[in-house]
Amino acid sequence: MDKNERMAEEILPLVGGKDNVISVFHCATRLRFELKDKSAPNEEALKKVDGVLGTKHAGNSFQVIVGPNVGQVYDALCEKNGLDKFDEVNAATADGVTAAEKADSSSDPMPKRVLNNVITYIMNSIAPIIPVLIGVSMWKTIGTLLGPSMFNVVAEGSDFITMCDFLFEALFYFLPVFIGYTAARYMKIEPVWGLFLGTLIITPTFVSLVGQVDTFFVFGVAVPVANYSQQFLPVLLGVWLCKYVLKGLNKVVPTMISGLLVPVITVGIMTFVMFAICAPIGGLIGNGISYVFMYFANAPLVVRVPVMMFLAAIGPLSVLFGVHVAIYVAALTAGAAVGYEAFYFPVFLVYCYVMYGMSLGAIFKFKKEDRGDAIGYFVSGFCAGISEPSLYGVCLKSKSSIAVMCVSGAIGGFFAGIFQLKCALLSAVNVFSLIPYYTVDSTTNIILGVVVSLGSMLIAAAGTYLFANFDEK
């Protein structure tokens, strides 16, 4: 039995066993469980499993942090225990109520329950597209590096540059379609409905009306005409509503004719709902978020720099609370229109390198028997872009280490704001993506970006060595 199979065998009983699992899938580093009994996991025992880096509650999700081999552990977990990948397990109970519905009937206060559900829904809809995001973003960066604005190896307008551009567009233009698919799977409806809702609001006929007319009539109601490509909130709202439309129709339409009437009525209802409600509201919220990011990216230094310092100081805590992916995608969407992001992404790089730097400092600060762990934390972050080992193994280990993390991040955020750094729309933060991240506009941006990122790492390493006390209670 290899390490991944052994981890899978040990993890499942410690989250309450197969009977406690509603669904399970994985992101870049974590197994994400939805559990019937959220108090069942033995977190202390899980943390002692060789290869498990930590655990985390985020929304309705219980997460086991594994690292870059999470895909192999997930495959072994599903295959050995007969779990359907990303499908609901033990869906129906004796009283006909699904486990997911029972999990929703939590004793938590309503505002907290709603917030948890929203965060979980967004995170679980976005996480599956991240591997594609990494791939297309790297090819876009390669095209920029080799193009005339950088090393001038490939001419502007060449087939290679064009190919890199449309690889990037294939994800971002059709983002509603990708999100529609993943959201539908999470909401336990046929994925084809999510695909339909995503394509509905970016169909060429509708998009061709942009700039020609201001409104379009859907069943006699005037709806705004806009380009909803690169938007993910409209389809998230639509898939959520579609679940209840389908559920309601299947209850009231006679079984003998449901195969015909339910699809026809659903398409009609959801067409109106998408164009009259979800797309305008989601677009308004999305544009508002984009405006916030663009405002701070172009704000005067006296405004931008303090905000970037604050975000860089507390950035690792967004990973702790599981909201970093949602913030990242919001910034990504804001930057997609111009091809780069100049507010959150520089902060993102700073606080990632601060975490890696603290592991570097811990190599010299930890006791001799623990230095091997620190080396592993540093390598997994600096080389593979996996920040959780550094976060849980070093940054949050004591009050003084948290202070070092915050101060180092604030220093890095200060210089990122002062130098007005711009970042390409990439995902993984590691030494191999460092230069590609700053491949925007000019070589000056690359040089300053690399200096700020690596400088933040070295400041954090020095701070850890000099000031962090890992023997604190």
Side-chain angles (χ1 to χ4, degrees):
M1 182 183 298
D2 68 13
K3 177 181 178 181
N4 297 317
E5 292 176 341
R6 178 189 51 73
M7 288 179 66
E9 187 175 85
E10 294 182 29
I11 287 171
L12 188 60
L14 296 176
V15 298
K18 178 179 176 179
D19 291 340
N20 193 41
V21 177
I22 298 171
S23 63
V24 58
F25 77 107
H26 73 90
C27 59
T29 60
R30 308 180 185 195
L31 293 171
R32 296 172 179 262
F33 292 92
E34 272 195 273
L35 303 174
K36 297 175 187 177
D37 180 1
K38 291 185 283 187
S39 65
N42 186 336
E43 297 190 53
E44 290 304 315
L46 279 166
K47 292 173 184 177
K48 294 178 182 178
V49 173
D50 185 24
V52 170
L53 304 173
T55 60
K56 183 75 185 72
H57 290 274
N60 287 331
S61 173
F62 177 72
Q63 303 171 4
V64 179
I65 304 163
V66 174
N69 61 318
V70 67
Q72 292 91 331
V73 176
Y74 176 74
D75 288 341
L77 181 73
C78 293
E79 290 167 7
K80 280 185 168 293
N81 297 283
L83 302 180
D84 293 331
K85 295 183 178 180
F86 204 42
D87 287 332
E88 188 171 48
V89 179
N90 300 324
T93 57
D95 56 5
V97 180
T98 66
E101 290 167 339
K102 286 192 172 183
D104 284 340
S105 60
S106 167
S107 58
D108 289 339
M110 178 62 74
K112 181 179 179 181
R113 189 161 70 247
V114 170
L115 180 61
N116 283 344
N117 287 340
V118 170
I119 291 174
T120 302
Y121 179 40
I122 293 173
M123 294 281 289
N124 290 353
S125 298
I126 291 171
I129 73 168
I130 289 178
V132 180
L133 169 64
I134 294 172
V136 300
S137 298
M138 286 302 296
W139 278 106
K140 175 74 172 178
T141 302
I142 290 170
T144 303
L145 278 171
L146 298 180
S149 63
M150 287 293 172
F151 298 120
N152 200 23
V153 175
V154 182
E156 183 70 36
S158 68
D159 288 349
F160 180 77
I161 298 294
T162 302
M163 180 195 74
C164 291
D165 288 341
F166 69 61
L167 288 176
F168 187 76
E169 292 168 2
L171 174 62
F172 283 96
Y173 182 86
F174 295 103
L175 188 63
V177 183
F178 287 88
I179 295 295
Y181 174 79
T182 56
R185 292 200 67 184
Y186 177 74
M187 294 300 291
K188 308 299 187 290
I189 66 175
E190 288 294 332
V192 69
W193 286 111
L195 294 171
F196 168 70
L197 298 180
T199 54
L200 177 65
I201 57 175
I202 59 171
T203 181
T205 304
F206 179 71
V207 173
S208 68
L209 298 176
V210 176
Q212 305 298 318
V213 295
D214 294 328
T215 58
F216 177 78
F217 286 87
V218 177
F219 299 124
V221 177
V223 301
V225 173
N227 186 352
Y228 297 112
S229 64
Q230 303 176 0
Q231 297 271 1
F232 66 95
L233 287 176
V235 74
L236 283 177
L237 292 171
V239 168
W240 176 69
L241 290 173
C242 185
K243 174 179 179 176
Y244 296 101
V245 169
L246 288 167
K247 185 177 180 180
L249 289 174
N250 281 316
K251 282 184 177 180
V252 301
V253 176
T255 304
M256 289 184 63
I257 56 175
S258 64
L260 172 64
L261 288 187
V262 170
V264 172
I265 297 173
T266 301
V267 166
I269 292 174
M270 291 311 302
T271 296
F272 178 80
V273 167
M274 286 299 293
F275 283 117
I277 301 173
C278 297
I281 292 177
L284 184 65
I285 296 172
N287 290 336
I289 294 172
S290 296
Y291 173 80
V292 170
F293 283 106
M294 295 301 290
Y295 168 77
F296 282 111
N298 297 286
L301 289 178
V302 69
V303 175
R304 182 175 67 251
V305 172
V307 174
M308 293 180 72
M309 290 175 66
F310 174 74
L311 290 178
I314 68 166
L317 300 180
S318 68
V319 179
L320 175 65
F321 292 110
V323 299
H324 60 297
V325 174
I327 300 172
Y328 169 83
V329 172
L332 189 74
T333 305
V338 293
Y340 64 86
E341 210 282 321
F343 172 56
Y344 179 74
F345 272 39
V347 166
F348 178 48
L349 264 74
V350 163
Y351 74 68
C352 283
Y353 275 95
V354 164
M355 288 189 282
Y356 307 158
M358 291 188 68
S359 290
L360 178 61
I363 294 173
F364 303 97
K365 183 73 171 184
F366 275 5
K367 296 176 181 178
K368 186 175 181 180
E369 59 268 24
D370 296 326
R371 287 176 183 171
D373 291 338
I375 292 171
Y377 301 157
F378 175 71
V379 171
S380 66
F382 190 67
C383 298
I386 309 300
S387 61
E388 282 91 344
S390 297
L391 177 63
Y392 292 99
V394 181
C395 301
L396 303 178
K397 206 170 181 65
S398 68
K399 292 178 181 179
S400 57
S401 64
I402 293 173
V404 169
M405 176 185 76
C406 293
V407 172
S408 302
I411 294 171
F414 172 81
F415 287 105
I418 287 290
F419 293 140
Q420 302 181 15
L421 297 177
K422 299 176 180 177
C423 289
L425 306 178
L426 300 180
S427 181
V429 179
N430 55 52
V431 65
F432 305 107
S433 67
L434 181 56
I435 290 177
Y437 252 114
Y438 291 109
T439 306
V440 179
D441 277 356
S442 65
T443 52
T444 301
N445 190 73
I446 296 176
I447 293 170
L448 291 176
V450 170
V451 169
V452 169
S453 296
L454 294 183
S456 299
M457 184 179 76
L458 294 176
I459 289 171
T464 301
Y465 181 75
L466 294 173
F467 303 112
N469 178 8
F470 296 108
D471 294 325
E472 292 175 348
K473 298 295 184 183

